[in-house]
Amino acid sequence: MSLFEWFGLRRGDSRRRAAEAKELAGDLAGAVELYLDAGMPDDAARVLLLRADAERGVEKRIAFCAAASRTAESPELKRAALGRKALLAFDLVRARGASVMRSEALAVARELEEAGELERAADAYALVGDTESETRVLAAAGAIEKLEERLRSAMTVERDQRELAAVLRSIADLDRMAERREAIAVAEAWIGGNRGGEQVADALRAIRARLLSGPILSLELGGALLRCALGDDVTIGRGEATIVVASRAVSRTHVLIRRGPSGVEVEDLGTRNGTTLAGARLTAPLPVGRGVQLLLGGEVPCAITPGTGQGCVVEIAGERFTAPLGDLPVGPWRIRLDRAGASAFVALKTPPGAPPPFLGDYQLAPSVELCAGDAIASARGGTAVFRLPPAGETPSIRRGGGAEGGPA
């Protein structure tokens, strides 16, 4: 007979008392070991939960709760430990926000549901957008008011998603039909409504990135690449001008080309370095006639010659520009620079009686806004009459002053 049996004690009782003493002394790790040695797993699990309460780090608290759930024999205690672990994990997931993985959040939601923390489980399911599971657990929890609120919120979200999809379709359709000004107005109205919609903002940025605002326009017509200077008049200068020349001898706005009473004329705009013709300084508007050879600022040669219609051709700094001085005729249509407040659009106009233009499979309205990459045809799906090179593209085609049916 052992000493413990002689005094009427069992070995387990001794270990239980030793575990209790460790627990009272604050040695929780030692208490857990002794409770386990004494065959008292529920007490060991209880102390593990006490250790979780004593920890400041959430990850360690979660680890102790998980250990308690594995150690406990009592279903109630095991469930309570799992519930505390799941609640701590949910707080951690919620704090991490957008960086949390969907699979992690779903696992936490299922743990909360298994632990009977149904309303928190509903919050976790909502975090990952699992509306069906959220509604199910709220119904199981009997949270009628919260369920009704969630259903109203889901209906609102669904309605907003439908409206967003309709707006995006409208913007895309308007873009395909070259009605870019209207597409921009629709996008700005949606964004201005303070309803978010980063997708709408992305669509708006994509259109603006391709939208042509002039006044210089590159145009492929009849196998030739034309550089057109749009506007009812054209200025040449170093800064605020239609055609920009990188020369310090040239003023910011140096000369003006326009249609005068007797045809195209050019005028020096009172510049410091002046504009000369055969050595003589211009002091009044000069008719271009059959062509003039000017010197801007005493350094930069500039040739202006008449073109077809009422426009002219400007050759300066190695570049050749067609300046229609009004609408630019292209096939049966007209291209012009439209200004609307601070914005400018390169617009394609269809005169009354002229055949409509097509962009891909879409017949265009009498007035549309052009974007880089547009190819305009005279029939649905037909060969392009003219094309606007995509942004950043350098076409390897011949340069020319015009083609039959187009500008010179």
Side-chain angles (χ1 to χ4, degrees), residues 146-373:
K146 198 168 184 179
L147 179 59
E148 289 176 347
E149 179 185 346
R150 181 65 190 93
L151 291 173
R152 285 194 299 269
S153 175
M155 290 174 64
T156 300
V157 169
E158 185 179 351
R159 183 197 65 218
D160 289 346
Q161 289 175 340
R162 286 198 305 269
E163 291 180 0
L164 174 60
V167 166
L168 289 170
R169 282 196 303 271
S170 176
I171 293 169
D173 288 343
L174 289 166
D175 185 23
R176 282 191 285 265
M177 294 185 293
E179 297 181 32
R180 278 70 182 237
R181 202 179 314 198
E182 181 62 24
I184 289 171
V186 170
E188 288 179 338
W190 175 272
I191 294 170
N194 298 317
R195 291 177 288 179
E198 186 59 30
Q199 290 171 279
V200 175
D202 288 343
L204 177 59
R205 282 191 288 268
I207 292 175
R208 283 183 167 154
R210 295 182 294 113
L211 191 66
L212 298 174
S213 58
I216 301 299
L217 174 70
S218 293
L219 178 75
E220 294 179 20
L221 176 67
L225 175 65
L226 306 179
R227 293 270 284 164
C228 304
L230 302 179
D232 293 335
D233 52 48
V234 169
T235 55
I236 302 173
R238 178 169 45 85
E240 299 167 359
T242 310
I243 300 172
V244 177
V245 180
S247 172
R248 299 295 297 179
V250 176
S251 296
R252 294 185 63 80
T253 310
H254 200 98
V255 295
L256 171 69
I257 305 170
R258 62 178 173 229
R259 288 203 302 264
S262 58
V264 179
E265 61 184 29
V266 58
E267 179 182 4
D268 181 272
L269 297 175
T271 60
R272 175 180 297 179
N273 295 330
T275 302
T276 56
L277 172 66
R281 186 161 182 160
L282 267 60
T283 57
L286 172 70
V288 168
R290 294 184 178 181
V292 294
Q293 298 283 339
L294 304 176
L295 195 63
L296 308 187
E299 289 187 7
V300 181
C302 175
I304 305 173
T305 55
T308 58
Q310 298 179 338
C312 65
V313 175
V314 178
E315 295 181 80
I316 186 169
E319 291 281 355
R320 178 184 174 93
F321 298 91
T322 294
L325 302 179
D327 290 354
L328 175 70
V330 183
W333 312 300
R334 302 290 180 267
I335 294 176
R336 71 170 291 108
L337 189 63
D338 277 356
R339 299 191 182 276
S343 301
F345 302 90
V346 175
L348 178 66
K349 308 283 186 178
T350 301
F358 288 82
L359 178 58
D361 292 330
Y362 293 89
Q363 178 178 321
L364 304 184
S367 178
V368 295
E369 295 77 39
L370 296 174
C371 275

